C-alpha cells in the first residue's frame, strides 16, 4: 500500500523567513501525482501546489516551491517570505494514476510575528 | 466559480442517533468524494462517485454508513446509528476527472458524537 510520511508534526517560523516542510512517500510506480494541501483553522482544504512525477522541473506557485527528488521519493515544500496567513496544517498527498489520493498525517505550521 | 458546498458546518448528536451531511460539488465536476478526517490525522477516503455510480467504497463502514448521489450532482452521506468513534470532520471533494486530476475540497462538517 502507498504511504506518505510527514516527519515534522509541528514547525514554527518567523514572519518573512523561509521554512521547509518534509514529505516522503513509498511507491513502486513511476507515474503519479504529488500535492501539498493547506488546511487553515477554518478547515477549508486548499491546494497549494501540484507536481507530476514525469516532470523534471520542480513546481512553483508564487512563494511556494517544491523540491522533488524522485529517486529518493522525497517531496518537500518551501515557503518563502512566510506570512501570518500561512499558519495552517499542511498535508502532503500522493496519487498514482487511476488510484486514490493518500494523505500524510500533516504538519502544523505556525508563523510568528 | 463557486466552490464545493457542504452543510451543516457543525453537528452534535448522541450516540446511536442518525445524522446526514449534504454536499454540492463544483459545477461540471463528475467525480465526488467523501473523506473522514479524525482529529490529528489526514483525510481518509470513504467513498467515490463517478456521476451517480459508486467507484470505490472499500473503506466505507457499510453497516452504519451510506451515501448516495442521485442525478449525479449533489450527494448525501448518512450515519445510522452513530458511534463515539465517528466524531470527525467529514470532507467532500470533487474533480473533473476520476483520480487523474486535482481534487477541490469543501469546508467540511464537524461531527461530535456524545
Amino acid at each position: 500500500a502507498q504511504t506518505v510520511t510527514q516527519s515534522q508534526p509541528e514547525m514554527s517560523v518567523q514572519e518573512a523567513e523561509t521554512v521547509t516542510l518534509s514529505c516522503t512517500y513509498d511507491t513502486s510506480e513511476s507515474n503519479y501525482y504529488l500535492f501539498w494541501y493547506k488546511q487553515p483553522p477554518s478547515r477549508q482544504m486548499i491546494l497549494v501546489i501540484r507536481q507530476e512525477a514525469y516532470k523534471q522541473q520542480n513546481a512553483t506557485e508564487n512563494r511556494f516551491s517544491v523540491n522533488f527528488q524522485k529517486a529518493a521519493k522525497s517531496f518537500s515544500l518551501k515557503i518563502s517570505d512566510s506570512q501570518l496567513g500561512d499558519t495552517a496544517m499542511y498535508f502532503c498527498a500522493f496519487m498514482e494514476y487511476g488510484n486514490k489520493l493518500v494523505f500524510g498525517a500533516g504538519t502544523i505550521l505556525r508563523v510568528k510575528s | 466559480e463557486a466552490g464545493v458546498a457542504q452543510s451543516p458546518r457543525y453537528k452534535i448528536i448522541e450516540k446511536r442517533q442518525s445524522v446526514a451531511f449534504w454536499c454540492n460539488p463544483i459545477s461540471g465536476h463528475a467525480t465526488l468524494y467523501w473523506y473522514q478526517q479524525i482529529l490529528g490525522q489526514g483525510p481518509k477516503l470513504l467513498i467515490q462517485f463517478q456521476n451517480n455510480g459508486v467507484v470505490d467504497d472499500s473503506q466505507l463502514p457499510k453497516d452504519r454508513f451510506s451515501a448516495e448521489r442521485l442525478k449525479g450532482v449533489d450527494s448525501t452521506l448518512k450515519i445510522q446509528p452513530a458511534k463515539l468513534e465517528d466524531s470527525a470532520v467529514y470532507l467532500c471533494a470533487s474533480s473533473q476527472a476520476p483520480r487523474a486530476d486535482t481534487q477541490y475540497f469543501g469546508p467540511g462538517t464537524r461531527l461530535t458524537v456524545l
Side-chain angles (χ1 to χ4, degrees):
Chain A
Q2 297 78 38
T3 58
V4 178
T5 302
Q6 294 181 248
S7 59
Q8 306 150 314
E10 295 187 31
M11 296 277 286
S12 294
V13 63
Q14 285 296 126
E15 202 173 3
E17 293 188 346
T18 296
V19 64
T20 298
L21 308 184
S22 302
C23 173
T24 58
Y25 57 93
D26 184 32
T27 182
S28 57
E29 299 296 322
S30 58
N31 293 320
Y32 48 87
Y33 295 95
L34 291 160
F35 306 85
W36 278 99
Y37 280 91
K38 168 186 177 182
Q39 190 176 40
S42 66
R43 293 202 311 272
Q44 183 90 41
M45 190 84 77
I46 303 164
L47 177 67
V48 174
I49 200 163
R50 159 191 165 133
Q51 175 84 39
E52 297 183 39
Y54 71 87
K55 290 186 176 179
Q56 300 278 2
Q57 188 172 6
N58 288 325
T60 299
E61 288 288 341
N62 300 313
R63 298 182 294 108
F64 299 87
S65 61
V66 298
N67 183 3
F68 174 46
Q69 301 289 329
K70 191 171 184 178
K73 297 179 183 176
S74 171
F75 184 61
S76 61
L77 175 71
K78 186 172 82 170
I79 306 174
S80 304
D81 186 25
S82 296
Q83 300 176 0
L84 295 177
D86 295 334
T87 293
M89 176 79 91
Y90 286 80
F91 290 98
C92 178
F94 165 91
M95 182 171 69
E96 293 178 350
Y97 285 9
N99 212 326
K100 63 185 177 186
L101 194 60
V102 177
F103 286 86
T107 296
I108 298 172
L109 176 67
R110 293 187 176 88
V111 180
K112 299 179 178 179
S113 60
Chain B
E1 179 184 81
V4 177
Q6 288 188 249
S7 66
R9 291 296 307 276
Y10 304 89
K11 190 73 177 178
I12 301 173
I13 61 172
E14 301 280 337
K15 61 183 178 183
R16 291 187 290 274
Q17 287 186 325
S18 63
V19 65
F21 313 126
W22 174 83
C23 171
N24 188 263
I26 292 172
S27 178
H29 281 194
T31 310
L32 185 147
Y33 313 80
W34 282 103
Y35 289 86
Q36 180 191 59
Q37 185 179 17
I38 293 173
L39 186 65
Q41 299 181 18
K44 181 187 80 172
L45 180 69
L46 291 175
I47 189 168
Q48 177 193 346
F49 291 94
Q50 177 66 17
N51 295 311
N52 61 353
V54 176
V55 174
D56 183 351
D57 63 356
S58 58
Q59 297 194 85
L60 186 74
K62 298 181 186 64
D63 58 333
R64 298 183 300 105
F65 286 64
S66 65
E68 60 183 11
R69 192 184 183 197
L70 300 175
K71 301 180 182 178
V73 181
D74 54 353
S75 175
T76 302
L77 176 70
K78 297 179 182 178
I79 308 174
Q80 182 179 8
K83 293 185 175 181
L84 296 177
E85 59 261 35
D86 297 333
S87 294
V89 175
Y90 291 84
L91 296 167
C92 180
S94 70
S95 66
Q96 285 185 314
R99 292 180 167 173
D101 200 359
T102 302
Q103 296 181 24
Y104 297 90
F105 286 79
T109 297
R110 181 181 296 281
L111 174 67
T112 302
V113 182
L114 303 176

